[in-house]
């Protein structure tokens, strides 16, 4: 079974530029998550999708971050404009959406973003 | 609000010795608890989870974790450490009331010396 795919693996941009990350979840997984992992910290949820609807985006900085999952499969996370503090690893995860939140989340390899 | 504390930034252990990586949590209602491992330049890999039932949970690569409700802890253990176990370990919690996002601890780096 193929895992969660993410691209690109690495990205370096100047501050105020824009950047986009792509994620393809495990086939059949209804729930998709984007996390931000700053160096030395644990991952922090940015946004959660159930199929193509947003379940939780309370920690997404909506003035600069946006995400979509138009067909309920793959997803794109965009930052525009980027700030120095956005330097982090952006992790995508998916889960089968079992009952009551007991299902396991499976993570992709992440995209390491460096903002100069 | 839910939270996780991993009190040790790093744990050092000799190969062949038992290891423990500590985790305590705070959550409303029943907790769902997870351990993940992260190797350099790779995503998080699932090790094990506690949902309900037996307090001792067995997972991948010989790891196990013990759920202690009174101490609100979920420590990760392995009877005999391997050098290849050296990695970053994250504990995570999710409440059982419906919000399904995970809250992660800050991570513990495990260093196993040959």
């Amino acid at each position: 079974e193929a895992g969660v795919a993410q691209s690109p693996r690495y990205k370096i941009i100047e501050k105020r530029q824009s950047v986009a990350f792509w994620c393809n979840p495990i086939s059949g997984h209804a729930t998709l998550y984007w996390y931000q992992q700053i160096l030395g910290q644990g991952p922090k949820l940015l946004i959660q999708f159930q199929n193509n609807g947003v379940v939780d985006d309370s920690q997404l900085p909506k003035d600069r971050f946006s995400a979509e999952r138009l067909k309920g499969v793959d997803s794109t996370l965009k930052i525009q404009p980027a700030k120095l503090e956005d330097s982090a690893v952006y992790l995508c995860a998916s889960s089968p959406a079992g009952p009551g939140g007991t299902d396991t989340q499976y993570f992709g390899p992440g995209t390491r973003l460096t903002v100069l | 609000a839910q939270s996780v504390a991993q009190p040790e930034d790093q744990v050092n252990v000799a190969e062949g010795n038992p290891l423990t990586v500590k985790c305590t949590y705070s959550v409303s209602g029943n907790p769902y608890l997870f351990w993940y491992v992260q190797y350099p330049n790779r995503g998080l890999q699932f090790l094990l989870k506690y949902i309900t039932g037996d307090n001792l949970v067995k997972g991948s690569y010989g790891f196990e974790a013990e759920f202690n409700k009174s101490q609100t802890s979920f420590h990760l253990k392995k009877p005999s450490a391997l050098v290849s176990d050296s990695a970053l370990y994250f504990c995570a919690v999710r409440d059982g009331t419906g919000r399904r996002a995970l809250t992660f601890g800050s991570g513990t780096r495990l260093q196993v010396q040959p």
Side-chain angles (χ1 to χ4, degrees):
Chain A
E1 179 182 81
V4 176
Q6 290 189 247
S7 67
R9 292 293 312 275
Y10 305 92
K11 190 74 177 179
I12 300 174
I13 62 173
E14 303 268 336
K15 60 183 179 183
R16 291 188 289 273
Q17 286 186 324
S18 62
V19 64
F21 313 128
W22 175 82
C23 172
N24 194 28
I26 293 173
S27 177
H29 280 194
T31 309
L32 185 148
Y33 312 79
W34 283 103
Y35 289 86
Q36 180 192 57
Q37 185 178 17
I38 293 172
L39 187 65
Q41 299 181 19
K44 182 187 78 172
L45 179 75
L46 291 175
I47 188 167
Q48 175 185 341
F49 292 95
Q50 180 81 12
N51 297 309
N52 61 349
V54 175
V55 174
D56 184 353
D57 63 356
S58 57
Q59 297 186 86
L60 186 73
K62 298 181 186 64
D63 57 333
R64 299 184 299 105
F65 285 66
S66 64
E68 59 183 15
R69 194 186 184 198
L70 293 176
K71 297 182 179 179
V73 180
D74 59 343
S75 175
T76 302
L77 176 70
K78 296 180 181 178
I79 308 175
Q80 181 179 9
K83 293 185 175 181
L84 296 177
E85 59 261 36
D86 298 332
S87 294
V89 176
Y90 290 85
L91 295 166
C92 180
S94 69
S95 67
T102 62
D103 49 299
T104 298
Q105 295 180 24
Y106 296 92
F107 285 79
T111 297
R112 182 178 298 276
L113 173 67
T114 301
V115 182
L116 302 176
Chain B
Q2 55 194 39
S3 64
V4 174
Q6 293 183 244
E8 302 153 317
D9 289 337
Q10 181 155 325
V11 170
N12 298 307
V13 64
E15 187 173 32
N17 283 0
L19 69 87
T20 299
V21 182
K22 296 180 179 177
C23 170
T24 58
Y25 66 89
S26 173
V27 73
S28 304
N30 295 322
Y32 298 152
L33 294 155
F34 299 77
W35 276 102
Y36 285 83
V37 60
Q38 188 173 37
Y39 296 99
N41 298 316
R42 297 179 67 177
L44 279 72
Q45 295 180 32
F46 170 73
L47 280 179
L48 50 80
K49 65 181 178 183
Y50 171 82
I51 302 301
T52 186
D54 194 348
N55 289 344
L56 186 63
V57 179
K58 294 188 183 297
S60 306
Y61 313 119
F63 283 93
E64 57 189 27
E66 187 169 12
F67 171 64
N68 187 316
K69 187 173 183 178
S70 63
Q71 297 185 5
T72 61
S73 67
F74 189 56
H75 300 331
L76 181 70
K77 300 180 179 182
K78 188 174 183 180
S80 178
L82 299 173
V83 173
S84 57
D85 292 330
S86 298
L88 192 55
Y89 290 80
F90 289 96
C91 181
V93 68
R94 175 196 291 151
D95 70 25
T97 60
R99 184 172 185 268
R100 298 169 61 200
L102 287 173
T103 296
F104 285 85
S106 56
T108 298
R109 185 164 300 282
L110 174 66
Q111 197 70 38
V112 181
Q113 283 108 16

